[in-house]
Amino acid sequence: MALGLPPLNFKPQCSSTSTFSSSSSTNYRPAVILPGLGNNTGDYKKLEFTLQEYGVPTVVAKVSRIDWLRNAAGLVDPNYWKGTLRPRPVLDWYLKRVDDAVQEAKELAQGGKLSVIGHSAGGWLARVYMEEFGLSHISLLLTLGTPHLPPPKGLPGVIDQTRGLLYYVQQHCKKAVYTPELKYVCIAGRYLQGARFVNDSKVAVESMATIDDDQQVSDVAVVKNKTDSTPVSTTFQARFVGQGYKQVCGEADVWGDGVVPEVSAHLEGALNISLDGVYHSPVGSDDVSRPWYGSPAVVEQWIHHLLN
């Protein structure tokens, strides 16, 4: 990404890194970027610069890859093994980093509101933060490839990888809204359609119905019959990715960003958007052949939500 350095750099505090463009004639509300599981602050540097190019003051919560090992503390909690784990205290370290970044952004806002951008797990962790720390200073939650919904219960071969955390979020965090005071915008990528391990060539368009009383999955398109000319490598990739999708939403043959299924990245009550050809992570992405949510051409499709 050929982006120049911002005209003015604020010296980052211990909790975050931030940039601000003094050349912008319009003062947009600051944005706080929350890293996804396994990502670190540096993964979002290019996105930070891209937002700065639009005149959006930006703070990235400071997280290192090794920090995620702190989550292993949950292994000693009996609720982990029961699948009823709660975000606190196991994720207090992350919520503290979020709060540090928010406090820095509030100084830039000078009494105004903030936008929060949550990538992947950072999106549902933002909802936990808003529930625990308050949301009066936040006017927009924009999530990028966030697995908002817990997997359906009782399906063979499907294990809740969050060990209950997403069920907690679904039950205890406020529902998504899209109002003048607070907007939820959930963006999903359609980079690759998954496939089942068996009988994929016979799969046609299907609809996924209600799983249980609390979980309803919306309809998504599935690729129709594959032909003999389909490369073996593509089929294997689709089947491999499909198994990952299945762990998240209970279905393998759905569209997604290569990690999170499209249907899991949307929330009832939010403004839900799907973008074709968008990959999940900044790690392994290519702004040309494999763009992710933070690639300049993709940001162009959602930046207006930050500039309102």
Side-chain angles (χ1 to χ4, degrees), residues 14 16 46 68 70 73 200 202 205-206 209 279 286:
C14 61
S16 57
K46 290 183 179 180
W68 293 102
R70 298 168 183 261
D200 290 293
K202 299 179 181 179
V205 174
E206 298 178 336
Y279 181 65
D286 183 311

Side-chain angles (χ1 to χ4, degrees), residues 11 22 26 28 59 62-63 87 114 145 157 166 185 274:
K11 184 177 180 181
S22 62
T26 304
Y28 296 118
V59 179
K62 187 166 184 181
V63 176
L114 308 177
L166 283 178
V185 177
S274 293

Side-chain angles (χ1 to χ4, degrees), residues 116-138:
V116 174
I117 302 171
H119 170 236
S120 195
W124 62 261
L125 282 163
R127 296 173 63 196
V128 174
Y129 173 81
M130 292 163 67
E131 189 69 29
E132 295 288 327
F133 290 75
L135 47 74
S136 61
H137 49 287
I138 298 172

